[in-house]
Amino acid sequence: MPRRRRDAPRAVTIADVAREAGVSRATVSRAINDSDLVTAETKRTVEEAIARTGFVMNARGRALATGRAETVGVLVTEPLDELFDDPTYGRVLRGIAEGLTGSGFLPVIVQASSESERALALRSFERRSVDAVVHLTPYRGGDLLEALAGTGLPVVLCGQLVDSPYEGVFSTVYSDDVRGARLAAERLVADGRERVAAVLGPADNPATVDRRRGYAEVLGARLDEARTVHTGWDSTGGFSATAALLETHPDIDAILAGSDRIALGALAALRAAGRRVPDDVAVIGFDDHAIAANASPPLTTIAQPLVEEGQLAARLALEMIAGAAPRTEILPMRLIPRTTA
Amino acid sequence: MPRRRRDAPRAVTIADVAREAGVSRATVSRAINDSDLVTAETKRTVEEAIARTGFVMNARGRALATGRAETVGVLVTEPLDELFDDPTYGRVLRGIAEGLTGSGFLPVIVQASSESERALALRSFERRSVDAVVHLTPYRGGDLLEALAGTGLPVVLCGQLVDSPYEGVFSTVYSDDVRGARLAAERLVADGRERVAAVLGPADNPATVDRRRGYAEVLGARLDEARTVHTGWDSTGGFSATAALLETHPDIDAILAGSDRIALGALAALRAAGRRVPDDVAVIGFDDHAIAANASPPLTTIAQPLVEEGQLAARLALEMIAGAAPRTEILPMRLIPRTTA
DNA sequence: CCGGCAAATGAAACCGATTACATTCCGGAG
DNA sequence: CTCCGGAATGTAATCGGTTTCATTTGCCGG
């Protein structure tokens, strides 16, 4: 006989409930699962017995019998040093947890940074230790996505893929960078800004590409190619790029930043150059990072609905578990008006 | 017979491995679990069979047989609106995931904000659906902690409890606020600051109490009672409190802030009052929030080792699962020297 | 009053592992 | 040469549920 956990009192099982209710285990199971094969009468009897015995379903036994785990794996492959102080991860996670609340499914975090951890995670997925996978910040490198598809499990990608060949096999949730960028640009147009500059993140980043497109669509000639520069995501990049820009194009009256940290660098450069914000130059960031609200002056920025992203990812996962076809949802970003634009 | 998941190919079980290896299921199980009852020879045979069949252990079957779930529940009760944009949650979570990596245990997030969710979570814990619980930001209200103790499960509290009656029953991990505060204070002393002010968070907060004590121990008369004020955690509180303080005590040459956001407010107030930082007034924050590095000037602050906290919590949980007695670990904070002090 | 059919229930197989207990197969002591 | 003991393995019970299949029960029409 298996060794029981130390001092664990013998648990109440359906057998106990069955005895108490004077029916068989099968009937108890059916009553619990709302089968239409049991009388309302019997169901009530069983429910009373459950209440009297304090029975709580053992998830493992059920999982074993049904082949379902009642869990959703949250696969995180993000390199640990990146985005370290970014609340993104936590917010999406919270959204997922919220989205699963009440479904009976629980989120299981599977962190797989190294190649070996990834292989391990995949093998456990293959073995159906989770009923679905929500993959955060999907990562094209290696053959992870292909392997994920190979498991046959429902998979929800949280975050955008450049040109996904996985339409129809994975569900996807992401925020509409193009639309978000348009919102920022429209704000500047409404404000009468004429000579706009863009200080963007790395040129090969998919988010950068989309944001740039959104800016261009709205601003047209107001955003000169020569006033569009790429730099790193952090504030030092934003600072130096802006400083250089102010040298070559001293007449700019607005800056669209590729991230809030870039925007902070831009603000510093503007202050150093003696420009007033927003009087002389407007600035709009991206992400609604914690630093945006606390910047001086407080930064107008574009917010990604991260919690909603997580919630929706969870719901899509549940849908697919229930048999629905994969689908893609694009969430709208919001302009958070503060002081800088 | 239970309905199998759609299109799920029949899984490889130990029975298949046993057939392939020409031994019994029991022997396979023993080989897998490194029992010393199997010959090295047999073990090798089994391992080859495993490799050939591509067998992966079914965690649920094992969990059912052993009574262990191979999971650690991460209980989050934090009210959702608080600390919303704080990376704390995510970092600790990541630490936990890292700390569990390689142990075979997986973290399961159990979010229980409402009373009913809390009850549900507890019932599932009681049923041994997890092997241990790591409780984030423990919360004295209600009888949650008592109920947690009642489950008999190993519990690790992550974060400090004011005056815990649970010594010896829960393990606890938290950062040493007193020591952190001393670090900040010592920095000011070394810098020759003589008239120090403290703009702290709510007076009844345990962290505030500890930090205040740490400041007082080091600074003595340098930190006048009259220059110690309490306010809310955010920057507006920091701003107004600092502004008021500058009115009544214009001669202060350093400010110890109860949080980074308070510190940011203080910086703004100092700038408004025409004081230079750090030349006229030094400022030290607390938490190493993302905004600290991005402040202007970059904020010197005290960092909590959040990831390490999570890692340690995970390790303590594993220890207790293995039968170790609960213990308390207090992690050292670090001074992050930047520009403001 | 009886046969037949459907609804409700019970009995038992099963999910995939672990482990107590039984069995086999050694070698070595007497 | 026999017997004993321990090591290695096999057999089967078990964990806590679900589900198939068989059985019982109740109701109806003929």
Side-chain angles (χ1 to χ4, degrees):
Chain A
M1 201 180 311
R3 201 184 327 127
R4 307 254 89 238
R5 285 192 58 71
R6 64 205 153 96
D7 76 4
R10 191 165 153 41
V12 180
T13 72
I14 49 166
D16 302 314
V17 177
R19 199 175 317 115
E20 176 79 18
V23 298
S24 73
R25 285 158 50 210
T27 302
V28 174
S29 173
R30 283 190 275 256
I32 291 171
N33 294 297
D34 255 358
S35 161
D36 46 0
L37 280 170
V38 285
T39 329
E41 165 79 18
T42 312
K43 192 178 293 183
R44 195 151 1 91
T45 313
V46 170
E47 273 159 10
E48 284 165 16
I50 288 178
R52 238 174 300 133
T53 54
F55 168 78
V56 181
M57 171 80 73
N58 178 321
R60 292 191 291 283
R62 161 184 284 210
L64 185 55
T66 58
R68 324 187 102 194
E70 311 269 290
T71 61
V72 172
V74 180
L75 180 62
V76 185
T77 54
E78 163 193 13
L80 296 185
D81 47 350
E82 180 111 0
L83 299 174
F84 189 84
D85 59 356
D86 196 348
T88 304
Y89 181 77
R91 287 207 210 170
V92 176
L93 229 37
R94 155 172 307 168
I96 293 174
E98 284 178 29
L100 253 31
T101 297
S103 71
F105 285 72
L106 286 175
V108 179
I109 305 176
V110 182
Q111 185 156 31
S113 316
S114 71
E115 196 51 56
S116 65
E117 283 171 17
R118 230 168 274 150
L120 208 67
L122 277 164
R123 281 155 58 96
S124 93
F125 290 163
E126 272 166 9
R127 215 55 180 75
R128 301 283 187 277
S129 67
V130 300
D131 297 312
V133 177
V134 173
H135 183 17
L136 298 192
T137 57
Y139 157 88
R140 279 303 281 283
D143 44 7
L144 178 61
L145 291 179
E146 197 178 341
L148 225 37
T151 64
L153 281 173
V155 174
V156 180
L157 263 29
C158 209
Q160 196 183 359
L161 223 49
V162 204
D163 40 64
S164 173
Y166 292 101
E167 281 272 340
V169 22
F170 296 154
S171 283
T172 309
V173 178
Y174 61 93
S175 300
D176 191 348
D177 276 287
V178 178
R179 182 89 191 79
R182 295 182 61 107
L183 285 175
E186 281 158 6
R187 170 93 174 188
L188 294 185
V189 171
D191 201 30
R193 307 287 172 164
E194 291 294 338
R195 291 168 307 282
V196 181
V199 182
L200 304 173
D204 56 350
N205 183 285
T208 297
V209 174
D210 280 359
R211 292 172 188 182
R212 182 170 184 168
R213 177 140 49 94
Y215 294 148
E217 284 176 11
V218 171
L219 293 172
R222 287 190 176 94
L223 175 59
D224 188 341
E225 188 78 18
R227 290 191 300 259
T228 301
V229 298
H230 292 280
T231 178
W233 288 115
D234 62 349
S235 55
T236 61
F239 183 91
S240 49
T242 304
L245 212 47
L246 287 173
E247 291 285 326
T248 54
H249 299 81
D251 61 340
I252 60 182
D253 60 5
I255 294 178
L256 290 164
S259 78
D260 287 341
R261 290 160 78 198
I262 291 177
L264 247 63
L267 285 179
L270 287 168
R271 182 161 40 235
R275 312 296 174 98
R276 291 167 307 162
V277 176
D279 304 343
D280 300 335
V281 181
V283 177
I284 301 185
F286 228 111
D287 293 340
D288 197 25
H289 193 285
I291 57 177
N294 293 283
S296 69
L299 184 67
T300 295
T301 189
I302 306 294
Q304 296 189 46
L306 293 171
V307 176
E308 290 86 342
E309 240 178 78
Q311 289 176 339
L312 189 52
R315 279 203 298 274
L316 287 181
L318 293 175
E319 269 183 20
M320 288 177 76
I321 289 172
R327 58 198 182 88
T328 294
E329 284 275 352
I330 304 172
L331 291 172
M333 299 211 177
R334 284 197 338 274
L335 176 84
I336 309 292
R338 293 206 179 90
T339 316
T340 61
Chain B
M1 202 178 309
R3 201 183 327 127
R4 307 255 88 238
R5 284 190 59 72
R6 63 204 154 96
D7 78 4
R10 190 162 155 42
V12 180
T13 73
I14 50 165
D16 301 313
V17 177
R19 199 175 317 114
E20 176 78 19
V23 298
S24 72
R25 286 158 48 210
T27 302
V28 174
S29 173
R30 283 189 276 255
I32 291 172
N33 293 298
D34 255 359
S35 161
D36 46 0
L37 281 170
V38 284
T39 329
E41 166 79 19
T42 313
K43 192 179 290 182
R44 195 150 2 91
T45 313
V46 170
E47 273 161 9
E48 283 166 14
I50 288 178
R52 240 173 299 133
T53 53
F55 168 79
V56 182
M57 172 80 74
N58 179 320
R60 295 191 289 284
R62 160 184 282 204
L64 185 55
T66 57
R68 323 186 104 193
E70 310 270 289
T71 61
V72 172
V74 180
L75 180 62
V76 185
T77 53
E78 163 193 14
L80 295 186
D81 47 350
E82 179 113 359
L83 298 174
F84 189 84
D85 59 356
D86 195 346
T88 304
Y89 181 76
R91 288 207 209 170
V92 176
L93 228 38
R94 154 173 305 168
I96 293 174
E98 284 178 29
L100 252 32
T101 297
S103 71
F105 285 73
L106 286 175
V108 178
I109 305 176
V110 183
Q111 185 157 31
S113 315
S114 71
E115 196 51 57
S116 65
E117 283 172 18
R118 229 167 273 150
L120 207 68
L122 277 164
R123 281 156 57 97
S124 93
F125 289 163
E126 273 165 10
R127 214 55 181 74
R128 301 284 187 276
S129 66
V130 300
D131 297 313
V133 177
V134 173
H135 183 16
L136 298 192
T137 58
Y139 157 89
R140 280 303 282 282
D143 44 7
L144 178 61
L145 291 179
E146 197 177 341
L148 224 38
T151 64
L153 281 173
V155 173
V156 180
L157 263 30
C158 209
Q160 196 181 359
L161 223 49
V162 203
D163 39 66
S164 173
Y166 292 102
E167 280 272 341
V169 23
F170 295 153
S171 284
T172 308
V173 178
Y174 61 93
S175 300
D176 191 348
D177 276 288
V178 177
R179 183 88 191 78
R182 296 182 60 108
L183 285 175
E186 281 158 7
R187 170 94 172 184
L188 293 184
V189 171
D191 200 30
R193 307 288 172 165
E194 291 293 340
R195 291 168 307 282
V196 180
V199 182
L200 303 174
D204 57 350
N205 182 285
T208 297
V209 174
D210 280 359
R211 291 171 188 184
R212 180 169 185 166
R213 177 141 48 94
Y215 293 147
E217 282 176 11
V218 171
L219 292 172
R222 287 192 176 93
L223 175 59
D224 189 340
E225 188 78 18
R227 291 192 300 260
T228 301
V229 298
H230 292 281
T231 177
W233 287 115
D234 61 351
S235 55
T236 61
F239 183 91
S240 48
T242 305
L245 212 48
L246 288 173
E247 290 286 326
T248 53
H249 300 80
D251 60 341
I252 59 182
D253 60 5
I255 295 179
L256 290 165
S259 78
D260 286 342
R261 290 160 79 199
I262 290 177
L264 246 62
L267 286 179
L270 287 169
R271 183 162 37 235
R275 312 295 175 98
R276 290 168 307 164
V277 177
D279 303 343
D280 300 335
V281 182
V283 177
I284 301 185
F286 228 109
D287 293 339
D288 197 24
H289 193 284
I291 58 177
N294 293 283
S296 69
L299 184 67
T300 295
T301 188
I302 305 295
Q304 298 189 45
L306 292 172
V307 177
E308 290 86 341
E309 238 178 81
Q311 289 175 337
L312 190 51
R315 279 204 297 276
L316 287 181
L318 292 176
E319 269 183 19
M320 287 177 77
I321 290 172
R327 59 198 182 88
T328 293
E329 283 275 352
I330 304 173
L331 290 173
M333 298 210 178
R334 283 198 338 276
L335 177 84
I336 309 292
R338 293 207 179 89
T339 315
T340 61

